[in-house]
Amino acid sequence: GCRTLSLSAHVGFDSLPDQLIKKSIKHGFCFNILCIGETGIGKSALVSSLFNTDFEDSPSTHFLSSVRLRAQTFELQESNVLLKLTVVKTVGFGDQVNKADSYQPIVDYIDAQFEAYLEEELKVIRSLFSYHDTRIHVCLYFISPTGRSLKTIDLLTMRSLDSKVNIIPVIGKADSISKTELQEFKKKIMSELVSNGIQIYQFPTDDETVSEINTITNGYLPFAVVGSMEKVKIGNKMVRARQYPWGVVKVENENHCDTIKLRRMLCTNMEDLKEKTRAYYESYRRCRLEKLGCRDTGPENKPVSLQEVIEAKRLEFCLEMERKEEEIKQRFVQKVKEKAAMLEEAEQQASMPVLTKFERLMLMHQEEELKLGEKKKLLEAEIAQFIEKKAIAESIQSQVSNPVSLK
Amino acid sequence: PHAGPVESKNEAAMSELVPEPRQKPVVPMKPMGINTSLLGYIGIDTIIEQMRKKTMKTGFDFNIMVVGQSGLGKSTLVNTLFKSQVSRKSSGWNREEKIPKTVEIKAIGHVIEEGGVKMKLTVIDTPGFGDQINNENCWEPIEKYINEQYEKFLKEEVNIARKKRIPDTRVHCCLYFISPTGHSLRPLDLEFMKHLSKVVNIIPVIAKADTMTLEEKTEFKQRVRKELEVNGIEFYPQKEFDEDLEDKTENDKIRQESMPFAVVGSDKEYQVNGKRVLGRKTPWGIIEVENLNHCEFALLRDFVIRTHLQDLKEVTHNIHYETYRAKRLNDNGGLPPMTVETEENHESNL
């Protein structure tokens, strides 16, 4: 423990929070929301309503064979705060006939973001300062407004996620439930969550300035939300609302739905959500490193174990590199040999007298002449033979036709 | 050189050990739509207040080291900076004590509070620096201490189960005291700053500046700046870490005109023009420490405490520490695990 000293005059380090804030503003903030819910339950409409901005998104089909996740990043600015907001939505959740594996892609996605951060953290040369943090800070789980109870898939999914992410359950399309039914529904949901041991995010109550409002808000969970992409003219203003023949549901009216409460709670507890996400990350990291074989067996072993792993991998990699290098070298040597042989052959051919076209033709001509000369000789020989044969034949014939008296 | 291949091997190796998660949907890094102003107030800007509350609750650590020969007024200056007895003045070496053979490192921590902001301030004194006949390598114990703090932090960071907030004993700022000879920097000054400017933020100050006239001061400062530049010594704020144009303009002015700050320190108050001011009384007048006409103490104070305190910490964390870490993880077999002296060197001010 250190002794506390009193200052005799103003020093000026009370500007530290401002210095830190100035840097954070320059750097910008980021926030990542994951929306899980069935197709058509109003995820896109709610996000647009929460941030009062129309985030473009095409509606998806019901016929996807497996659950996928779609992520979009937006830059929002309010006064001097620049927020990089990433909204990840499930696509095709609850559409399959067999929903057994529905939650797996979601778990995998959340883990993948932790993994990406861990990889960056473990790099030798890393840039954590400028790393775009994609870890999910809050998960809005959309419950169907059946008015009855949670579905099995809801329980399964939330249970698989509650140790990895902050879960805020919301009732989607809540304008289809009456107020009294809603109260009963909320109570039922909360008791089911408790009895199934599912941990949902509780708004922090340790700070006195917010503990009261947070305790009250915790009592409104799950939030009954209504979202709308359309605006309706009420009086002389355009407000986000849903127009029915029997009335208009105003998204931003706290009597009509809890959308504004959700918005307020998300915004004023962003820092706490991020802090709790960091804690989830630490758990993930711990598991992951333990799986890799690192242990905190004692004060001496701490750096060595992780470093040993890194060292071992580095050696492995160096050996692999050496092997590859050798391989490439061999291939290079081979190629050089081949090329050398090729060049040698070409050189040999080149060292033969190079004949011009004319000379070639002359050669050809001479060769032809020789050949013709030979053929001519042959022909002349044949002709001579023929004449001889003819002469003999004629003389025989004349002897036959003109018998010569023998005296 | 080895950094690139190591990373990718790590990634590859990790995915061999644990089966790849089934899908890796890519989060697009570029924003899809830019909305510079929202239609109506949402409440996103409350994050600033949340940040402020959080930092006020957790408090800050700040560790400042002072280096310079004895008698240059280091302790007095630090006490004047923080308006309290954060550093114990050494009374010099009396006959019974031996001058230590090497530089000692003495770190003393105090908690001070102002405007609801709690700061744990640690002043690291380096008695014996430059006091021996042969001062070769007297920066080594200092460099060793600085690296030990990085090592301590790294050990904590690398733990499987780590603390939410790792205690930060790393040296955020090193005030190097230059003797006001009026001529030039001494070889010892250059040697020290050359070695240490690569591992820690060094802020050179000209001590006991009341021994120089205004002209002498300006010329000396110019010469010192030139010498530092010629020797490739980058003092804080380093040019390469300016984040944007705003930083660069602000820091250029400080680097090229104000630094090194010529300072005078004092813990005594005198009455001047009806006000009580900190000062040094001489036969020829009272030197007011916080009067910008007399010395640049106020500039140093504003620079270190009121404007660049957070930045000093961030440069230490994002750059010096990362450099140390990368080197440590890269070295063949790594540096031998250093024995980290923890409790012995931290005196509590009893």
Side-chain angles (χ1 to χ4, degrees), chain B residues 31-231:
Chain B
M32 283 206 35
I34 298 182
N35 248 316
T36 45
S37 58
L38 300 164
L39 320 154
Y41 180 71
I42 300 294
I44 299 172
D45 59 357
T46 58
I47 197 160
I48 296 191
E49 269 319 297
Q50 296 171 43
M51 259 199 128
R52 187 191 300 275
K53 238 195 257 177
K54 185 176 138 196
T55 51
M56 304 266 286
K57 201 167 132 190
T58 52
F60 299 86
D61 286 338
F62 191 65
N63 309 316
I64 184 167
M65 179 186 264
V66 285
V67 181
Q69 288 174 281
S70 14
L72 283 179
K74 304 190 292 289
S75 293
T76 312
L77 183 70
V78 174
N79 290 342
T80 317
L81 268 176
F82 291 99
K83 296 292 194 311
S84 60
Q85 291 284 318
V86 284
S87 178
R88 223 194 290 149
K89 271 193 266 193
S90 62
S91 48
W93 315 109
N94 56 35
R95 257 191 281 153
E96 282 80 44
E97 288 173 9
K98 277 202 181 144
I99 296 177
K101 288 224 177 78
T102 58
V103 178
E104 281 179 83
I105 314 278
K106 288 201 175 130
I108 305 175
H110 290 101
V111 173
I112 48 181
E113 187 177 331
E114 189 174 66
V117 178
K118 261 206 198 88
M119 180 155 90
K120 174 153 174 277
L121 175 72
T122 304
V123 178
I124 302 134
D125 202 356
T126 55
F129 179 82
D131 286 340
Q132 285 88 34
I133 300 276
N134 182 1
N135 289 305
E136 255 174 32
N137 302 334
C138 65
W139 58 82
E140 278 179 0
I142 298 174
E143 191 173 353
K144 181 159 169 271
Y145 176 84
I146 292 173
N147 284 334
E148 276 170 4
Q149 308 320 304
Y150 291 144
E151 181 69 23
K152 240 203 263 188
F153 195 88
L154 179 62
K155 273 202 172 101
E156 286 289 341
E157 215 203 335
V158 149
N159 268 350
I160 307 293
R162 12 178 225 201
K163 299 190 183 133
K164 204 156 88 166
R165 202 171 147 240
I166 300 175
D168 193 358
T169 56
R170 301 170 295 185
V171 178
H172 302 125
C173 168
C174 173
L175 293 181
Y176 186 79
F177 285 70
I178 298 170
S179 203
T181 59
H183 291 295
S184 62
L185 287 173
R186 287 188 291 203
L188 176 63
D189 300 332
L190 289 170
E191 282 297 302
F192 177 86
M193 286 196 271
K194 230 192 262 185
H195 279 94
L196 276 277
S197 59
K198 297 191 180 62
V199 295
V200 72
N201 295 322
I202 295 193
I203 296 181
V205 295
I206 300 171
K208 302 216 157 165
D210 51 338
T211 58
M212 291 189 287
T213 63
L214 281 175
E215 292 84 27
E216 286 170 346
K217 222 190 288 183
T218 322
E219 278 172 27
F220 186 42
K221 280 166 65 153
Q222 258 174 347
R223 258 198 300 273
V224 168
R225 276 198 295 268
K226 196 64 204 276
E227 273 189 290
L228 291 174
E229 191 187 329
V230 161
N231 281 278

Side-chain angles (χ1 to χ4, degrees), chain A residues 34 36 106-107 110 136-143 150 154-170 189-190 193 197-203 218 221-223 262 266 273 276-277 280:
Chain A
L34 169 65
I36 304 177
I106 305 172
V107 172
I110 294 177
I136 301 293
H137 299 124
V138 70
C139 166
L140 298 178
Y141 190 90
F142 286 72
I143 298 165
L150 288 173
D154 296 336
L155 293 168
L156 256 179
T157 310
M158 282 197 269
R159 197 184 298 136
S160 70
L161 295 175
D162 71 350
S163 58
K164 291 182 181 287
V165 72
N166 298 310
I167 300 180
I168 297 181
V170 299
I189 292 173
M190 291 309 279
L193 288 174
I198 295 174
Q199 303 270 38
I200 59 169
Y201 177 73
Q202 292 290 311
F203 296 100
N218 278 332
L221 286 167
F223 294 119
L262 176 62
L266 276 181
L273 285 162
K276 297 221 165 80
T277 305
Y280 287 126

Side-chain angles (χ1 to χ4, degrees), chain A residues 323-338:
Chain A
R323 191 187 64 78
K324 281 215 174 113
E325 218 183 293
E326 198 49 47
E327 202 184 301
I328 291 175
K329 243 191 239 172
Q330 288 305 327
R331 259 192 279 156
F332 180 70
V333 165
Q334 184 64 18
K335 278 214 171 120
V336 166
K337 275 199 193 135
E338 285 172 15

